[in-house]
Amino acid sequence: MQPFVYNALPARVIFGWGTSSKVADEVKRLGCSRALVLTTPQQAPSGEKVVASLGDLAVGLYTNATMHTPVEVTRDALKKAQELQADVCIAVGGGSTIGLGKALALHSPDSAKLKQIVIPTTYAGSEATPIIGQTEADVNGKPLKTTQKTLKVLPDVILYDIELTLTLPAQMTITSGLNAIAHAVEALWAPEANPITSSLAVQGIEAIGKSLPLIKKDANDRDGRSNALFGAWACGTCLGAVGMSLHHKLCHTLGGSFGMPHAETHTVILPHAVAYNTPFAEEAVDKIGRALGLAEGVSTAQGLFDLAKDNGAPYSLKELGFREEDLERAAEIAAKAPYPNPAPLEKAKLLQLLRNAYNGTRPE
Ligand code: NAD
């Protein structure tokens, strides 16, 4: 056994079917009584149900959560939270909504510190991390996403209600599942990898890898849906516990600076990031391949590519609307700031990786 350091994060996790009905008990348990419920515009009906189940404990519903946490939306929601004297926010949704809840906790004055309950409805994993990404225009007016890690944004309670994931559209289910797998993949080759996160990473990859084809066949498959959400927690916990490398850096660049959609971008980049790192991270890559149960002769990078393509997910940046002329700038940004990664980061090789992802080439 190698020596290791492991920092456990405080977490209260409630997992099961119909668990969102326990939300009022959780608000009271936190000593709160004025809950502001957050959703995206699309998930407003789910937010209304939570408001109804909270009764007098709900003070409002804010339905404008937006991907990549733009600061203008945070300011607007914070104003509403302050007007309503909210003492807890309840994010019902995916990473975008949870990101807004985190931003409110971060920016609320210490004297009025907002508690957070999250009810995740995708597999992105933000609920289990002390990480927040926020987007603001840079000096040239271009969107720039910055990320910080602080316990101030770690949710107090995670209510995983499998029921709420049944409506996650088929394609989003696959891309969000691959987004989760990406956290576990990078946790396995992280410099801070340790026996706890590595074992969670393998469990998470296994659970999601076997659930996606089941859900593709039947969106209501109970085993598939519950395994996928369990996998999301396992993979999200890895993301919260150890540092990420090339894959997340590339996706962060493409999302934050080029407005690319989050889960889809993770899905397209992952096989290529794995191919790039494979010669320098063989043990981790073998573990991933075994967790996915790949057939003889299929590499881990190819297995991840096939998992996306065979289940109807996008597999090229081109089909996501990325502009070929932006490949160079993306490679430049990704190569600029140094960060730990198994393979050395060389701009020309990164450009080739991005070009392969742009064209949707199956890794060799
Ligand atoms: P999302 O939250 O933007 O959701 C995508 C769309 O799916 C939205 O319209 C949403 O309303 C809808 N949706 C979500 N769940 C649904 C359900 N069960 N049924 C029907 N519709 C549903 O997507 P996401 O991929 O979960 O989150 C992406 C955002 O999260 C990005 O901004 C990303 O940076 C952030 N993120 C942050 C972390 C972190 O640790 N800080 C981790 C992962 C993702």
Side-chain angles (χ1 to χ4, degrees):
M1 176 65 63
Q2 297 288 323
F4 66 89
V5 174
Y6 173 61
N7 286 306
L9 292 171
R12 175 170 166 82
V13 178
I14 299 164
F15 185 95
W17 291 88
T19 54
S20 55
S21 64
K22 299 186 196 312
V23 67
D25 294 342
E26 292 302 316
V27 169
K28 287 187 220 150
R29 201 183 148 273
L30 289 172
C32 297
S33 57
R34 301 185 64 80
L36 174 62
V37 177
L38 312 172
T39 67
T40 58
Q42 297 82 351
Q43 286 181 284
S46 302
E48 278 155 16
K49 281 192 196 142
V50 171
V51 167
S53 86
L54 284 166
D56 291 347
L57 295 170
V59 292
L61 173 64
Y62 183 86
T63 59
N64 197 23
T66 306
M67 194 171 284
H68 303 310
T69 331
V71 291
E72 316 79 75
V73 174
T74 301
R75 281 192 205 109
D76 185 46
L78 191 58
K79 196 163 145 255
K80 176 148 182 171
Q82 287 171 339
E83 279 165 8
L84 295 169
Q85 298 178 349
D87 54 10
V88 56
C89 59
I90 301 177
V92 186
S96 299
T97 309
I98 295 169
L100 176 60
K102 287 176 161 183
L104 294 183
L106 181 68
H107 296 291
S108 67
D110 276 349
S111 55
K113 177 97 183 65
L114 268 181
K115 300 271 189 197
Q116 287 183 75
I117 297 175
V118 292
I119 307 181
T121 62
T122 70
Y123 308 129
S126 176
E127 63 278 5
T129 83
I131 303 166
I132 176 165
Q134 302 181 91
T135 311
E136 192 165 19
D138 69 7
V139 282
N140 302 313
K142 289 207 176 344
L144 184 72
K145 188 167 179 179
T146 52
T147 301
Q148 54 173 302
K149 205 168 184 176
T150 162
L151 283 174
K152 279 190 201 164
V153 304
L154 186 71
D156 298 280
V157 180
I158 311 175
L159 271 175
Y160 282 112
D161 185 345
I162 309 158
E163 199 92 42
L164 298 185
T165 63
L166 297 180
T167 52
L168 191 63
Q171 184 166 311
M172 179 75 191
T173 295
I174 309 301
T175 56
S176 195
L178 278 153
N179 179 197
I181 287 180
H183 309 326
V185 164
E186 294 226 287
L188 283 165
W189 63 45
E192 312 92 324
N194 60 71
I196 297 111
T197 52
S198 295
S199 137
L200 268 176
V202 167
Q203 283 189 66
I205 295 170
E206 227 169 54
I208 295 182
K210 71 179 176 203
S211 65
L212 294 185
L214 295 178
I215 302 173
K216 173 80 193 332
K217 244 191 252 158
D218 173 8
N220 293 322
D221 188 288
R222 288 178 74 85
D223 274 354
R225 284 294 184 188
S226 62
N227 272 315
L229 197 58
F230 165 74
W233 172 73
C235 296
T237 301
C238 292
L239 173 68
V242 298
M244 298 285 117
S245 333
L246 174 64
H247 169 78
H248 280 74
K249 175 72 182 175
L250 285 173
C251 294
H252 175 93
T253 301
L254 296 171
S257 301
F258 298 92
M260 299 297 284
H262 179 81
E264 292 86 340
T265 303
H266 272 268
T267 300
V268 170
I269 294 295
L270 186 61
H272 302 285
V274 169
Y276 188 98
N277 277 337
T278 294
F280 297 84
E282 281 173 0
E283 201 186 322
V285 172
D286 278 354
K287 278 188 192 161
I288 301 158
R290 266 182 271 127
L292 288 170
L294 297 179
E296 190 76 25
V298 177
S299 73
T300 300
Q302 290 169 339
L304 289 164
F305 181 89
D306 298 344
L307 190 57
K309 191 174 173 196
D310 296 350
N311 286 295
Y315 55 94
S316 73
L317 291 179
K318 198 194 296 183
E319 68 191 299
L320 297 182
F322 193 78
R323 298 180 331 161
E324 194 170 8
E325 57 269 36
D326 285 335
L327 287 171
E328 182 91 28
R329 189 161 73 91
E332 211 159 88
I333 300 176
K336 222 192 289 171
Y339 48 91
N341 187 62
L345 300 167
E346 294 165 29
K347 193 189 149 198
K349 288 190 179 165
L350 290 175
L351 183 57
Q352 188 55 51
L353 180 169
L354 285 169
R355 204 168 284 292
N356 293 342
Y358 176 81
N359 289 318
T361 315
R362 188 175 188 253
E364 282 177 12

